[in-house]
């Protein structure tokens, strides 16, 4: 089926069209969504939401304004960004279950596990106080750079620069 034939069926709200639409575009839309979301289950939910939006909002698509594929990619991208910005998504990322980290304690002979379990924090404590504060917010408490900027009452650009400098200092301590 060609894209033009598909569009005619979608405008008519033909049920077969939804299946064709999904078969034709699900893989490429999922790739865009998964690149942004980075969580397979959440990306699959967003994919479903995207197809519903395409189906419901087909009347807002006009060939004269651009290609159909570009239009649906933008819906996928914008829906993904909305999901990333949502409060529930951010909270779910900050409040991870301790079950996710139990495996770190299982094999204490590996150097990488030792660093994580005995604490990278021991290395962080050797940094300047400002670095300790920034790394604590960004990495141990899960703040975004914007949230850290608000918390510390300093400009976002300063947080980004200090974070980069602090990570470089930490690399020196770890000799990575």
């Amino acid at each position: 089926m060609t894209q033009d034939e598909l569009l005619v069926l979608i405008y008519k709200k033909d049920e077969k069209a939804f299946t064709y639409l999904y078969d034709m575009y699900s893989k490429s839309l999922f790739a865009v969504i998964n690149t942004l979301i980075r969580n397979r289950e959440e990306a699959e939910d967003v994919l479903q939401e995207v197809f519903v939006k395409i189906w419901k909002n087909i009347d807002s698509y006009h060939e004269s304004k651009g290609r159909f594929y570009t239009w649906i990619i933008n819906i996928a991208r914008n829906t993904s960004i909305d999901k990333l910005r949502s409060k529930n998504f951010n909270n779910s990322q900050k409040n991870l279950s301790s079950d996710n980290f139990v495996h770190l304690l299982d094999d204490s002979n590996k150097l990488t596990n030792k660093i994580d379990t005995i604490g990278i924090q021991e290395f962080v404590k050797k940094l300047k106080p400002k670095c300790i504060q920034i790394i604590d917010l960004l990495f141990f408490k899960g703040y975004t750079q914007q949230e850290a900027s608000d918390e510390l009452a300093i400009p976002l650009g300063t947080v980004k620069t200090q974070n980069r400098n602090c990570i470089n200092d930490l690399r020196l301590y770890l000799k990575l």
Side-chain angles (χ1 to χ4, degrees):
M1 174 175 291
T2 68
Q3 181 178 299
D4 292 334
E5 293 169 332
L6 175 63
L7 283 171
V8 169
L9 292 176
I10 294 173
Y11 281 121
K12 291 180 181 179
K13 300 293 184 189
D14 186 317
E15 290 180 23
K16 293 178 193 173
F18 192 85
T19 303
Y20 292 131
L21 175 69
Y22 186 86
D23 290 343
M24 288 174 72
Y25 297 106
S26 62
K27 288 181 182 175
S28 57
L29 293 179
F30 184 76
V32 169
I33 295 165
N34 199 39
T35 300
L36 292 167
I37 300 290
R38 294 188 183 134
N39 176 317
R40 186 168 185 84
E41 287 179 24
E42 293 286 343
E44 288 170 354
D45 289 344
V46 171
L47 181 66
Q48 288 180 347
E49 190 178 332
V50 166
F51 277 103
V52 170
K53 283 183 178 182
I54 292 168
W55 189 255
K56 286 183 175 179
N57 298 315
I58 191 65
D59 294 330
S60 68
Y61 168 69
H62 301 287
E63 269 185 58
S64 61
K65 293 184 180 177
R67 294 179 38 211
F68 178 70
Y69 183 73
T70 304
W71 184 71
I72 64 174
I73 286 287
N74 281 330
I75 291 173
R77 186 180 145 280
N78 292 340
T79 305
S80 300
I81 291 170
D82 289 346
K83 182 68 170 181
L84 288 171
R85 290 178 179 165
S86 76
K87 193 172 195 173
N88 289 338
F89 182 79
N90 286 327
N91 286 340
S92 72
Q93 297 304 303
K94 287 180 187 176
N95 300 324
L96 296 174
S97 167
S98 62
D99 295 340
N100 294 331
F101 303 102
V102 170
H103 70 280
L104 293 175
L105 301 173
D106 291 342
D107 184 6
S108 61
N109 294 327
K110 291 183 179 176
L111 175 63
T112 56
N113 283 350
K114 281 185 179 177
I115 290 173
D116 288 338
T117 57
I118 62 169
I120 192 103
Q121 251 177 337
E122 293 304 315
F123 293 100
V124 172
K125 287 179 184 175
K126 297 178 182 178
L127 298 172
K128 296 176 236 165
K130 196 66 165 176
C131 285
I132 294 170
Q133 196 175 27
I134 288 176
I135 288 177
D136 181 55
L137 290 175
L138 295 176
F139 296 98
F140 296 118
K141 293 184 178 170
Y143 282 46
T144 64
Q145 290 180 337
Q146 182 62 56
E147 291 169 335
S149 168
D150 295 342
E151 178 75 20
L152 299 172
I154 58 176
L156 178 60
T158 303
V159 169
K160 290 179 179 184
T161 301
Q162 287 182 353
N163 179 40
R164 186 175 51 250
N165 293 338
C166 294
I167 294 299
N168 287 335
D169 292 347
L170 188 58
R171 281 188 182 123
L172 291 175
Y173 285 123
L174 295 173
K175 296 183 182 172
L176 294 175

